[in-house]
Each structure stands twice: as structure tokens, then as C-alpha cells.
Amino acid sequence: MLIDTHCHLSHERFASDLLDVLSRAASAGVGGVVSIASTLDDAVAVRRLLAELPEPDGDAPTPRCHVARTAGIHPHHAADIPTESRRRLLDELARTPRAVAVGECGLDFHYDFAPPAAQRAAFQLQIEVASETGLPLVVHCREAESEMTPMVQEAGEAGVPGVLHCFPGDLKLLETAMDAGWMVSFTGLVTFRSFDGIEAVQRVPDDRYMLETDGPYMAPTPHRGKRNEPAFVPWIRDKVAEIRGQEPESVASTTTANARAFFPELGF
Ligand SMILES: [Zn+2]
Ligand SMILES: [Zn+2]
């Protein structure tokens, strides 16, 4: 079984056929998906979406995969987060079904949709919330490697586990993440001709990486340009296996074990 550790199931591009998406995932061997929230309102939307799903092996014509959720604030939405954000986030994380991680949070200086200071403050707040709740962090980092490094180190020293998602392959940041006890996860980016992080995929230890689609974005080759969905994880698994010189089955079993270890409250 495979696990898609990062997908945005509340995205409008999944609104019309979500159950089909989850059934196709199950048919493709993807037994579970972690649905990632981008804002506090989105976290509520993700929670409601989960509550409305039929049972995984219920009356639907085909079984669906399992779904877990996170709650957090993406750096794109970090501008002017209100002072009650901490309380709202803590409250949202604890609601049923309980969130399995804080995020996605982090730093994105590529788009700069929010001022850097606001991004740092929102990220810091979520590191503290992760520390307080004992939940792991799902972290987004784009063109912010040097700013990210000390924050990962500090979180690691504080015993807060995290994953650098959609990891593009920066070797220095990989080393920092490994030293901090963190994970990285790989998307369809590894299948792109332009991918230049091959060494990072080869170097990361067996027990320190996971797979994800980041759907609806980042569809792997041969689906590039289409909506990405959890059923596409096998293409990412196969490319990672090829780069690491391992069997696809062993990449599947190690990454699933890693996901279960990283998200202790996953439940599947
Ligand atoms: Zn992201
Ligand atoms: Zn994402």
C-alpha cells in the first residue's frame, strides 16, 4: 500500500468528483491520503469534507481510500494573521476527526504573497503550536533555504518533528533536515526532465522520506499539465525507485512505514 502524504482534497478542482478520485486512489494501491489545509477556513472545510465522506468500505460501488487531515496556515496566507489565530488553530487541530499534523506552513519567497516578516511569524507560531500539541509539522519551503535552515535546526532541537514537502533537492537543506531528525517528501517533480535533485533522492536514508502528490498541482509525467490526484503516486514511486536503484515494492513499503511513523495519529 502507498500513502499520499500531501494532497489538497478541499481544492475546488476536486469538488465535482472527489469520491471517484478516492476510489481511483484505492484501485491504484494508494490506501490513504493526508489532506492538507492552507488556511484556518480551509482547515474547517477539510474537516467537514472528511465528516461527509461515506465509510471507506461502505456501500459505494468501489471502496475509497482513507483520508486524514491537517490544520495550518500556508505562507501565501500569512499576511496579517489575527491574534486569535493560535487559539483557532489549537481548537481546529483538536476537533474530530483530530488533525494528524500542523501545516502546511513555512516560507515562500518565490511568490512573496505575504511579507517575509509575516511569513516568519506565522511559521514560528505554528512551530510553537506543534511543540505544544506534540503533532508533526508539514513544511513548505520555496526559495527560502537560508532562512529555513535555522528554523529547522531550532525546531529539531526543541524535539518538533517536521517534513520538508515537495523537496526540490537542495543538499545543504537536506543535511540540515536530516540532522534535525526531519523527513523530506518527494512529488511528481522527480519525474520532470528539469529535475535537478537526483543526488538528494539518492542520498536520503531509507527511513527519512515519504511520497506525495501535492495534488491538484505538480502532476507527474506522463500526466503533466493535468489535474494531479492521489492515484498518480505510483509514477512518483517508480521514478524514486529508479533513481535509488531499488524495487518499487520496497519504496512503497518503506515510505508507507515512514508515513505511519511520522504521523503517529494517522489511523491507517
Ligand atoms: Zn507547499
Ligand atoms: Zn501543498
Side-chain angles (χ1 to χ4, degrees), residues 27 79 89 92 136 141 229 231 233 240:
S27 306
L89 179 55
E92 188 50 41
C141 174
E229 61 174 72
V233 176
V240 167

Side-chain angles (χ1 to χ4, degrees), residues 6 8 74 104 140 165-166 214:
H6 189 122
H8 297 270
H74 191 287
E104 64 179 294
H140 171 106
H165 103 93
C166 195
D214 201 10

Side-chain angles (χ1 to χ4, degrees), residues 184-196:
V184 295
S185 65
F186 299 114
T187 56
L189 197 62
V190 300
T191 68
F192 296 0
R193 230 189 279 269
S194 57
F195 180 60
D196 62 0

Side-chain angles (χ1 to χ4, degrees), residues 13-255:
R13 291 180 73 189
F14 289 119
S16 63
D17 65 343
L18 183 62
L19 274 179
D20 291 338
V21 165
L22 299 179
S23 295
R24 272 199 296 278
S27 306
V30 180
V33 179
V34 181
S35 192
I36 305 288
S38 303
T39 64
L40 290 170
D41 287 344
D42 187 33
V44 175
V46 173
R47 175 166 52 80
R48 290 191 175 143
L49 184 148
L50 262 67
E52 283 164 13
L53 287 174
E55 288 304 308
D57 41 13
D59 295 332
T62 46
R64 67 161 177 93
C65 68
H66 293 264
V67 184
R69 71 179 187 100
T70 70
I73 303 159
H74 191 287
H76 286 346
H77 305 285
D80 308 321
I81 53 163
T83 43
E84 70 268 23
S85 291
R86 174 190 290 269
R87 186 194 49 75
R88 270 192 71 193
L89 179 55
L90 283 165
D91 179 61
E92 188 50 41
L93 287 162
R95 283 176 182 255
T96 309
R98 275 169 57 88
V100 299
V102 177
E104 64 179 294
C105 53
L107 303 171
D108 191 319
F109 298 156
H110 176 75
Y111 287 109
D112 266 332
F113 285 151
Q119 292 192 34
R120 274 193 296 273
F123 185 27
Q124 187 61 46
L125 175 131
Q126 290 174 88
I127 294 173
E128 288 164 20
V129 165
S131 173
E132 204 173 316
T133 56
L135 290 169
L137 279 171
V138 175
V139 175
H140 171 106
C141 174
R142 187 145 184 215
E143 292 179 21
E145 286 77 8
S146 59
E147 293 253 3
M148 180 58 71
T149 297
M151 296 184 85
V152 170
Q153 283 167 341
E154 215 174 291
E157 280 161 20
V160 177
V163 58
L164 294 173
H165 103 93
C166 195
F167 193 67
D170 183 279
L171 290 175
K172 263 192 80 181
L173 189 57
L174 178 70
E175 203 184 309
T176 302
M178 296 301 104
D179 289 346
W182 280 33
M183 297 242 184
V184 295
S185 65
F186 299 114
T187 56
L189 197 62
V190 300
T191 68
F192 296 0
R193 230 189 279 269
S194 57
F195 180 60
D196 62 0
I198 289 191
E199 217 179 319
V201 178
Q202 289 167 334
R203 271 203 213 175
V204 66
D206 271 331
D207 60 348
R208 302 293 287 283
Y209 77 99
M210 303 185 287
L211 305 177
E212 57 160 310
T213 57
D214 201 10
Y217 319 105
M218 285 284 170
T221 307
H223 299 289
R224 209 171 164 182
K226 285 195 246 170
R227 178 189 71 178
N228 196 4
E229 61 174 72
F232 295 166
V233 176
W235 276 273
I236 304 163
R237 170 203 60 196
D238 290 353
K239 190 65 189 183
V240 167
E242 184 194 314
I243 295 172
R244 289 172 69 81
Q246 293 173 327
E247 291 301 321
E249 296 72 30
S250 99
V251 169
S253 59
T254 54
T255 53

